[in-house]
Amino acid sequence: MLDAAATASADRPPIERRRRLSPAALAVTHQKVGRAYSPIVIAGVVRVIDFAMLSAIGTALYFGYVVPLSGFSWEFLAAIFGVAATAVICFQAADIYQVQLFRGYLRQMTRMISSWAFVFLLFIGASFIVKLGSEISRLWLAAFFVSGLAALVTERVFLRSLVRRWARQGRLDRRTIIVGADQNGEELVQALKTQDDSDIHVLGVFDDRNDDRAMDTCAGSPKLGKVDDIVEFARRTRIDLVLFALPISAETRILDMLKKLWVLPVDIRLSAHTNKLRFRPRSYSYLGKVPTLDVFEAPITDWDLVMKWLFDHVVGFVILLLALPVMGLVALAVKLDSPGPILFRQKRFGFNNERIDVFKFRSMYHHQADPTASKVVTKNDPRVTRVGRFIRKTSLDELPQLFNVLFKSNLSLVGPRPHAVQGKLQSRLFDEAVDGYFARHRVKPGITGWAQINGWRGEVDTDEKIQKRVEFDLYYIENWSVLFDLYILLKTPIALMTKSENAY
């Protein structure tokens, strides 16, 4: 079914401009790094597990012991859920929902045990005040306390081993690079490294200067290259945070660097640890005790990322089930129309400029396949088959990309469309034609997008068409929400019927 020739061609790296990194930078990129896990999501999941587990234990004991003796009472059941919710609130107040604390044992256990005991004292006191003490089984209460405590301790022991394993794999570290290899940079790296229980992992420093002000190492962290190398470096290894060690007074230099780095899907902050000018504490975000000023934030992170993943997989599965009959008919038409495989695989830009394989129904003659899209498809293009013209016009050739969403997870249902790696406007690659083009790769690409439902799809033969695509894609990234994704998805069929004049 898959185009073997196209696949072999697509696996060869396309000709492109790539910066040569320093040996020190290459050594970092060759380190094995796992995908980062969000501490915010981990803590949220633990809260949900605590509530569900305590509620289940209290309810099971209630139905197993109290109900056979005294009968069922909704008020009693509500009290159980109230105890579970109060426990989560007390655990939060005791500050034990921190990933750094999950790694430890003594502090976490003592805080949790004391908080759980406080919850029961609170429950007993409230029962006495509302005169329900005689109706509450002391055996059930004691069993709930002991069983709940045993479950919480067991859960935390398991969680501790899990978090420590993730920490060894680097999944909980914030992989950080410092911009500025001078005295300020050295002081910043030193301040970050001396903090206890810090999740900051400094990979190295970058600096454009070649004079005496630029050090080869800052507090043991090597200089990895120039600022222009950071985009290529981030493409080869995971970076979570870019931290400027430059003083606020270096405004011109900072702005010049930000123009190059804002396309990255990372947090960018300006360190304020050496600045004499001080703002209100709420103006800062802190890395431990180091004050920083937020410049750019990575889009769609933490719970937003979870919501988008759920939306893609739940809605995507439903769409796939509904589309299977249509996909079967298209596959049959492609096979009968011209010799060759049914599916076609093409190299395109994915998240953070990674190269991904995107599946499509074959719309060109097999011997004229163009897996890198080095030549733009134009109106009445002789390479396109009869069936190919129809499925390209209606975008039915894109339906196999549902497999990318559901099984490879390198596409979303909604997002900036993934352009071919050799996509060109006349003789210029797209990133040469539009300033900040790669900023559209700060999120996963999508099967449909905000630009497409507004008519900016199909052939790209003018500066306006590619500029408008980028403009609409950046608007989508900055204004993303699940409801926005749903709106775009619902508008897509209408756009395909009314705004297909550029699709060939």
Side-chain angles (χ1 to χ4, degrees), residues 372-393:
T372 62
S374 56
K375 183 180 178 182
V376 177
V377 176
T378 57
K379 191 173 184 179
N380 299 321
D381 197 312
R383 298 174 298 165
V384 180
T385 65
R386 291 172 300 173
V387 170
R389 288 193 182 90
F390 174 75
I391 63 176
R392 291 178 71 91
K393 189 79 172 176

Side-chain angles (χ1 to χ4, degrees), residues 106 167 242 312 351 423:
L106 183 60
V242 176
D312 285 340
F351 173 71

Side-chain angles (χ1 to χ4, degrees), residues 231-350:
V231 173
E232 178 64 25
F233 181 75
R235 183 171 154 185
R236 300 194 189 190
T237 191
R238 195 190 93 216
I239 295 177
D240 303 307
L241 174 64
V242 176
L243 192 54
F244 281 81
L246 306 175
I248 295 178
S249 57
E251 179 182 356
T252 303
R253 286 182 62 204
I254 292 172
L255 289 176
D256 288 341
M257 294 176 184
L258 287 177
K259 288 179 182 178
K260 302 171 184 176
L261 302 182
W262 74 280
V263 301
L264 296 175
V266 302
D267 292 333
I268 300 179
R269 297 187 187 182
L270 178 63
S271 169
H273 74 295
T274 59
N275 293 327
K276 295 180 180 179
L277 177 61
R278 288 294 178 184
F279 302 104
R280 292 182 178 180
R282 291 184 180 180
S283 302
Y284 298 106
S285 57
Y286 288 84
L287 301 174
K289 296 182 180 179
V290 177
T292 64
L293 296 171
D294 295 341
V295 182
F296 290 108
E297 292 184 354
I300 313 182
T301 57
D302 301 325
W303 284 110
D304 286 344
L305 194 61
V306 174
M307 293 300 296
K308 189 164 179 64
W309 187 93
L310 289 173
F311 180 86
D312 285 340
H313 286 76
V314 173
V315 178
F317 181 72
V318 173
I319 293 174
L320 179 62
L321 290 179
L322 296 175
L324 280 176
V326 177
M327 293 175 70
L329 291 175
V330 173
L332 181 62
V334 170
K335 192 65 179 177
L336 295 176
D337 184 53
S338 64
I342 295 171
L343 294 181
F344 177 75
R345 190 168 76 176
Q346 191 174 63
K347 284 283 184 184
R348 297 200 177 189
F349 280 120

Side-chain angles (χ1 to χ4, degrees), residues 160-177:
R160 178 176 180 265
S161 64
L162 194 62
V163 168
R164 288 169 73 89
R165 186 176 71 187
W166 289 341
R168 287 194 298 270
Q169 296 171 347
R171 295 183 183 275
L172 301 178
D173 290 341
R174 300 191 68 184
R175 291 168 60 84
T176 303
I177 58 174

Side-chain angles (χ1 to χ4, degrees), residues 413-429:
L413 289 178
V414 181
R417 283 293 295 147
H419 291 162
V421 293
Q422 289 296 299
K424 293 179 181 178
L425 172 62
Q426 298 168 357
S427 61
R428 295 173 294 164
L429 293 172

Side-chain angles (χ1 to χ4, degrees), residues 126-277:
S127 302
F128 176 77
I129 292 173
V130 297
K131 299 181 180 180
L132 291 175
S134 59
E135 299 180 19
I136 295 175
S137 168
R138 285 172 289 181
L139 183 59
W140 170 85
L141 193 63
F144 190 12
F145 177 80
V146 174
S147 301
L149 182 60
L152 286 169
V153 170
T154 303
E155 177 210 28
R156 287 306 197 273
V157 170
F158 174 76
L159 182 62
R160 178 176 180 265
S161 64
L162 194 62
V163 168
R164 288 169 73 89
R165 186 176 71 187
W166 289 341
R168 287 194 298 270
Q169 296 171 347
R171 295 183 183 275
L172 301 178
D173 290 341
R174 300 191 68 184
R175 291 168 60 84
T176 303
I177 58 174
I178 308 297
V179 178
D182 54 10
Q183 186 64 35
N184 288 336
E186 185 163 48
E187 291 178 10
L188 176 58
V189 174
Q190 187 67 37
L192 293 172
K193 287 186 174 181
T194 55
Q195 294 184 132
D196 295 330
D197 294 330
S198 174
D199 62 347
I200 299 295
H201 177 200
V202 179
L203 302 177
V205 294
F206 288 81
D207 201 308
D208 281 342
R209 296 170 295 187
N210 293 316
D211 54 24
D212 294 338
R213 292 173 296 175
M215 304 177 180
D216 292 331
T217 60
C218 286
S221 295
K223 181 181 177 182
L224 301 178
K226 297 184 176 181
V227 174
D228 286 339
D229 299 326
I230 293 178
V231 173
E232 178 64 25
F233 181 75
R235 183 171 154 185
R236 300 194 189 190
T237 191
R238 195 190 93 216
I239 295 177
D240 303 307
L241 174 64
V242 176
L243 192 54
F244 281 81
L246 306 175
I248 295 178
S249 57
E251 179 182 356
T252 303
R253 286 182 62 204
I254 292 172
L255 289 176
D256 288 341
M257 294 176 184
L258 287 177
K259 288 179 182 178
K260 302 171 184 176
L261 302 182
W262 74 280
V263 301
L264 296 175
V266 302
D267 292 333
I268 300 179
R269 297 187 187 182
L270 178 63
S271 169
H273 74 295
T274 59
N275 293 327
K276 295 180 180 179
L277 177 61

Side-chain angles (χ1 to χ4, degrees), residues 409-474:
S409 290
N410 53 15
L411 279 187
S412 287
L413 289 178
V414 181
R417 283 293 295 147
H419 291 162
V421 293
Q422 289 296 299
K424 293 179 181 178
L425 172 62
Q426 298 168 357
S427 61
R428 295 173 294 164
L429 293 172
F430 288 154
D431 63 298
E432 296 174 328
V434 181
D435 187 32
Y437 170 81
F438 284 127
R440 48 193 308 280
H441 300 148
R442 289 185 293 160
V443 299
K444 256 195 246 184
I447 297 177
T448 184
W450 183 235
Q452 282 63 45
I453 69 167
N454 282 281
W456 302 106
R457 58 185 289 260
E459 183 183 8
V460 179
D461 54 1
T462 66
D463 286 350
E464 182 191 20
K465 287 182 179 179
I466 186 60
Q467 287 171 354
K468 283 294 184 182
R469 281 194 186 188
V470 173
E471 178 184 324
F472 276 82
D473 288 339
L474 295 184

Side-chain angles (χ1 to χ4, degrees), residues 349-367:
F349 280 120
F351 173 71
N352 197 24
N353 299 330
E354 293 176 356
R355 304 303 184 260
I356 62 174
D357 292 320
V358 170
F359 296 109
K360 301 179 68 175
F361 282 121
R362 180 175 57 85
S363 59
M364 293 185 180
Y365 291 103
H366 177 47
H367 65 283

